[in-house]
Amino acid sequence: MQKAILVGVNLNDDPDFEHSMEELESLAEACELEVAAKAVQNLPAVNNAFYIGSGKVEEVKNLASMLEAEYVIFDNSLTPSQQRNLQKEIEVSVLDRTNLILEIFDRRAKTKEARLQVESANLQYMLPRLVGMREALSRQGGGAGAGGGAGAGGGFSNKGAGEKKLELDRRKIEKRISDLRKELEAIEQDRAIQRKRRKESDLPSVALVGYTNAGKSTLLNRMLDEYMGDEEKKVMEKDMLFATLDTTVRRISPGDNRDFLLSDTVGFIDRLPHTLVKAFRSTLAEACNADLLLQVVDFSDPHHREQMRVTHDTLKELGAETIPCLYVMNKAELVMEAEELPKVVGDKIYMSAKSGTGLLELLSLIRQKLFADYVDCEMLIPYGDGATVSYLKENAVVHAMDYSGEGVILKLQCKKSDAGRYEKYITGKKVEAAS
């Protein structure tokens, strides 16, 4: 396993600094790197040239040499000039937090869309960092030379081979980004058509959102286990940052004609590179178009409140902050007594997706939100209108069905629109909002 040294700058005794370094270590491990050492410096402001002080640069260089580390990884984004300067001084590969996250996404991307999105984000990150990315570029040439300069009618450039190479690379990258954008737009059009079809099916949609490794995929799989029993529909779940990148949409059928679509989206993380948020905007559109969000929170993590803030900020950037939301305080069994679970407090439910404790209560909360427009009523439907009976049996929650001399008596819970549509069959009993 390749070794890495983690480097962090604690600005003005930041209370979240230790957690940030722990998260960086988890990111390195997710990238299959062995963390050989950590180097930390307390500063009032970062060094413009090296991010860390020049003395600390020498210390990190010696540490990398002594431990035979292949990478030095910084806990924050480096400017292109800082990265070039550090690379030159330390003489091993220098990465920043953005580099590391992009590398993880690159390794985990499976579908064509995810691969295109990651490539686009990588190229956008690379573009301003072209200078100095190679060990050897030809030196820039001098003046016009004996063959005649630009003014001599020959149209020759006085740029050296190195600069020409950079310009060529820049053009290639810009062209590739443009091509990727067109490919992704075509895929997004297909996604939009799929979303439109799902909307036309009249099935409400629920999107799982939240910090990476909070348990979104685990919750989706438990739902599928409990209400669908379909192993093939399950998604990968692993105790690892960004275990899954691709959005998955599954139908959940609890068996009472109140089905809904449940989608699992890519996890968020503090300082998620803007290029990735931008690149994955079409994938995350599942969250933006949902009727209800389930924000899955790792309640056992001491920093869960900060993670909730990061999730909210990312949703706000996506324009999804106004969608109704339930908060699934997952992994609660690690910090609460078993007899306390599940626990529902307003829009929060404390539960365990791993064991399934609280699944029924969560389903009840989802129904309250999704089917708030359902009403309880009683209908007397003539025997001659069997089509209406069949429709309601398939699209409403029928609590009881009896037969009288005049027709079929249904006690049911249905959409307010269906109650209006079949108002002539409603008996004298008052239509009431479903509880």
Side-chain angles (χ1 to χ4, degrees), residues 62-132:
N62 294 334
L63 196 59
S65 176
M66 181 179 68
L67 297 175
E68 298 182 339
E70 288 91 343
Y71 297 96
V72 172
I73 305 171
F74 285 75
D75 182 41
N76 221 322
S77 293
L78 299 171
T79 66
S81 61
Q82 286 171 340
Q83 199 160 11
R84 287 196 297 271
N85 295 339
L86 287 164
Q87 188 86 44
K88 183 178 178 181
E89 293 295 324
I90 297 176
E91 297 177 344
V92 299
S93 294
V94 172
L95 307 177
D96 61 11
R97 186 184 179 94
T98 302
N99 262 139
L100 199 56
I101 294 174
L102 285 170
E103 176 62 25
I104 294 170
F105 272 56
D106 191 43
R107 293 184 183 197
R108 304 279 164 77
K110 301 297 181 187
T111 64
K112 179 183 178 181
E113 182 180 18
R115 289 197 299 270
L116 293 176
Q117 288 168 329
V118 172
E119 184 184 353
S120 175
N122 261 314
L123 291 175
Q124 290 176 62
Y125 177 82
M126 186 190 303
L127 196 56
R129 291 169 168 78
L130 278 176
V131 178

Side-chain angles (χ1 to χ4, degrees), residues 51-255:
Y51 188 73
I52 52 177
S54 55
K56 183 62 78 170
V57 172
E58 188 66 25
E59 180 187 323
V60 171
K61 178 181 178 179
N62 294 334
L63 196 59
S65 176
M66 181 179 68
L67 297 175
E68 298 182 339
E70 288 91 343
Y71 297 96
V72 172
I73 305 171
F74 285 75
D75 182 41
N76 221 322
S77 293
L78 299 171
T79 66
S81 61
Q82 286 171 340
Q83 199 160 11
R84 287 196 297 271
N85 295 339
L86 287 164
Q87 188 86 44
K88 183 178 178 181
E89 293 295 324
I90 297 176
E91 297 177 344
V92 299
S93 294
V94 172
L95 307 177
D96 61 11
R97 186 184 179 94
T98 302
N99 262 139
L100 199 56
I101 294 174
L102 285 170
E103 176 62 25
I104 294 170
F105 272 56
D106 191 43
R107 293 184 183 197
R108 304 279 164 77
K110 301 297 181 187
T111 64
K112 179 183 178 181
E113 182 180 18
R115 289 197 299 270
L116 293 176
Q117 288 168 329
V118 172
E119 184 184 353
S120 175
N122 261 314
L123 291 175
Q124 290 176 62
Y125 177 82
M126 186 190 303
L127 196 56
R129 291 169 168 78
L130 278 176
V131 178
M133 290 189 72
R134 294 173 185 76
E135 290 295 325
L137 283 174
S138 301
R139 294 180 179 275
Q140 181 171 326
F156 297 109
S157 169
N158 66 348
K159 292 176 180 174
E163 191 170 350
K164 287 179 182 176
K165 177 68 173 171
L166 287 174
E167 275 200 9
L168 183 61
D169 284 352
R170 184 173 286 109
R171 288 173 187 167
K172 282 183 177 178
I173 289 174
E174 288 173 343
K175 173 69 164 58
R176 180 58 181 157
I177 290 174
S178 177
D179 291 343
L180 287 170
R181 188 179 297 116
K182 290 175 183 175
E183 285 190 69
L184 286 167
E185 283 173 356
I187 292 174
E188 168 54 16
Q189 286 177 3
D190 290 339
R191 273 188 171 276
I193 292 170
Q194 291 172 9
R195 281 196 295 271
K196 184 179 179 182
R197 285 174 182 166
R198 290 199 290 267
K199 285 288 184 185
E200 288 172 351
S201 73
D202 215 20
L203 285 178
S205 61
V206 181
L208 295 164
V209 297
Y211 216 72
T212 180
N213 207 31
K216 296 182 298 298
S217 297
T218 302
L219 181 56
L220 174 61
N221 285 339
R222 292 299 84 74
M223 283 277 198
L224 289 170
D225 275 338
E226 186 71 20
Y227 302 114
M228 302 302 290
D230 192 342
E231 287 290 324
E232 293 183 4
K233 297 282 188 179
K234 294 172 79 170
V235 297
M236 186 183 82
E237 55 180 270
K238 197 170 183 180
D239 186 14
M240 179 187 291
L241 300 186
F242 301 114
T244 54
L245 297 184
D246 303 305
T247 294
T248 304
V249 182
R250 296 289 185 261
R251 182 171 182 148
I252 303 298
S253 301

Side-chain angles (χ1 to χ4, degrees), residues 289-330:
N289 289 279
D291 298 295
L292 175 67
L293 300 179
L294 297 186
Q295 185 181 150
V296 183
V297 180
D298 181 356
F299 185 59
S300 68
D301 192 311
H303 301 274
H304 69 270
R305 287 187 180 85
E306 175 63 16
Q307 293 172 0
M308 291 174 74
R309 182 196 62 76
V310 170
T311 299
H312 179 268
D313 290 347
T314 308
L315 290 171
K316 187 174 182 180
E317 186 175 349
L318 292 166
E321 78 277 14
T322 59
I323 297 172
C325 184
L326 291 173
Y327 299 90
V328 181
M329 313 307 282
N330 190 33

